[in-house]
Amino acid sequence: MRCIGIHTDNKTDLPTADLPWAQCIMPVTGASISGVGESPSALLEGSWVFGYFRDGEAMQEPVVLGSIPGRPFELANKDKGFYDPNGVYPRHIDEVDTNRLAVNLKEDGSETNPHLSLPLRRATRITGVATADFNTVEAADDSIVEASDGDTFDQPEIPYATVYPYNKVMETESGHLVEYDDTPEHERIHLRHKTGTSFEIHPDGTKTDIIKGDQYTFTGGKRQELIEGNKDLTINGRHKIYINKDGATNNHYDLQIGPNANINIQVDKGNINMVTVDGNINVNSGGDYNVKVGGNFTMAVEGNIIESAQTQTTNINGEVEINAGEVDINAVPINLN
């Protein structure tokens, strides 16, 4: 540590490597033992600090009590002492060292020198995400299956409306950010990775999660969710669900729809395939069972076909061809026209 009034700023006469190391007094939130609490110090090369020499006039054991913010009027001179030797800090001149996110808004709501993350967040806000759209169709009994129209949704507006001195900001060298904003009526919490992956809790309790890369969630126990409103899920890639991978009993996939709502499945171009590798397919309809086929209707049954009905009406415009080893029709009366 280079000390004013004791060490020269001439790095040739006194190289940085020859300066004594300083110890930092940590707050009570840091135990300063075995890595417990806050560690290490967040001081940077070029920081101005205040302290004392615990070895008195020998002045070889400096102790740092705290850092001193200011208002820099010049950039770092890497050739002289008392400056950041890397030339990185200060990043701004003629501006207080307080983080821009903490002082960005004036009382009238106008912005001065916005933090770089703020216009970037606004410019990359996601809007116009489409939801599923189910078209109106006519069923086999000439009834109409009503459409379930899709719409769009947007990422909420960025709720930043800080007024000094309510926003407590912590920013790291690489650009990670944490904000605890207590601005009246605009209280929020924001945690952001330098890539833009972040979460933000809005003043009304709304939470926005932004994941710029992949997301992995591993839960050792159960997970339960309650959604009182709507849920929209739009996926640009594939979607797979694997239930009961260990083959335990009674781990069913149950889907229950309450009264006055439908299950609508629409494939814009492709097939709907249902297969049981070992098991039955059971369909119970509480009302009518209507099937409308635009092409051919093909059924291949390796066993028997058993049908039971009160009456049966078959309307065929063309020919009927039956190939069978034996035909046994028992009906009273029978009328073949």
Side-chain angles (χ1 to χ4, degrees), residues 81-319:
F82 302 109
Y83 291 94
D84 177 10
N86 301 309
V88 176
Y89 300 98
R91 292 184 293 190
H92 316 291
I93 60 174
D94 196 21
E95 182 178 326
V96 295
D97 283 323
T98 307
N99 192 285
R100 285 181 172 184
L101 286 170
V103 298
N104 191 50
L105 290 187
K106 299 179 180 179
E107 290 289 349
D108 61 2
S110 61
E111 295 183 3
T112 57
N113 295 329
H115 191 282
L116 292 178
S117 69
L118 193 55
L120 179 62
R121 291 175 62 201
R122 290 169 174 161
T124 56
R125 177 172 164 261
I126 301 171
T127 60
V129 180
T131 63
D133 184 271
F134 183 79
N135 300 328
T136 301
V137 294
E138 182 179 344
D141 63 349
D142 297 328
S143 64
I144 300 298
V145 179
E146 298 294 336
S148 178
D149 293 331
D151 53 12
T152 61
F153 64 93
D154 303 329
Q155 176 187 338
E157 295 279 356
I158 308 302
Y160 179 86
T162 288
V163 174
Y164 184 81
Y166 295 104
N167 194 16
K168 290 77 176 175
V169 182
M170 194 278 283
E171 181 174 1
T172 68
E173 296 170 72
S174 66
H176 306 319
L177 279 168
V178 178
E179 296 181 76
Y180 292 99
D181 195 347
D182 292 321
T183 300
E185 299 184 4
H186 299 284
E187 299 86 351
R188 64 193 175 86
I189 297 174
H190 176 221
L191 189 150
R192 177 181 176 87
H193 185 271
K194 59 173 291 187
T195 60
T197 293
S198 62
F199 77 81
E200 187 160 26
I201 300 176
H202 298 232
D204 63 354
T206 297
K207 184 182 178 186
T208 300
D209 289 309
I210 304 293
I211 310 296
K212 291 296 185 179
D214 299 330
Q215 180 177 7
Y216 297 88
T217 302
F218 300 91
T219 305
K222 67 179 180 181
R223 174 176 174 176
Q224 295 178 305
E225 288 184 299
L226 171 65
I227 301 175
E228 295 289 358
N230 299 326
K231 179 177 180 178
D232 295 312
L233 178 63
T234 300
I235 301 174
N236 203 33
R238 74 179 192 188
H239 185 46
K240 289 189 174 184
I241 299 177
Y242 186 9
I243 305 295
N244 198 32
K245 67 180 181 65
D246 292 333
T249 58
N250 296 321
N251 282 341
H252 305 305
Y253 181 27
D254 298 329
L255 179 64
Q256 178 180 352
I257 308 298
N260 306 315
N262 300 330
I263 295 179
N264 299 323
I265 300 175
Q266 175 178 308
V267 179
D268 293 334
K269 185 176 181 180
N271 302 325
I272 296 178
N273 303 309
M274 292 196 314
V275 177
T276 61
V277 177
D278 183 8
N280 302 325
I281 295 179
N282 302 308
V283 179
N284 294 348
S285 174
D288 296 335
Y289 182 56
N290 304 310
V291 178
K292 186 176 183 179
V293 181
N296 297 326
F297 181 69
T298 303
M299 180 184 297
V301 180
E302 295 184 2
N304 301 321
I305 296 178
I306 301 174
E307 294 179 330
S308 176
Q310 297 297 321
T311 61
Q312 178 173 331
T313 302
T314 303
N315 298 315
I316 300 175
N317 294 327
E319 297 180 353

Side-chain angles (χ1 to χ4, degrees), residues 43 47-50 66-72 95-99 164:
L43 296 174
S47 293
W48 286 66
V49 299
F50 173 80
S67 60
I68 304 173
R71 189 186 184 95
E95 182 178 326
V96 295
D97 283 323
T98 307
N99 192 285
Y164 184 81

Side-chain angles (χ1 to χ4, degrees), residues 5-42:
I6 299 174
H7 302 131
T8 177
D9 65 357
N10 190 312
K11 298 171 72 173
T12 301
D13 294 342
L14 181 57
T16 301
D18 293 339
L19 291 169
W21 283 90
Q23 289 184 304
C24 296
I25 299 297
M26 300 298 290
V28 294
T29 54
S32 297
I33 184 171
S34 299
V36 178
E38 296 180 2
S39 66
S41 165

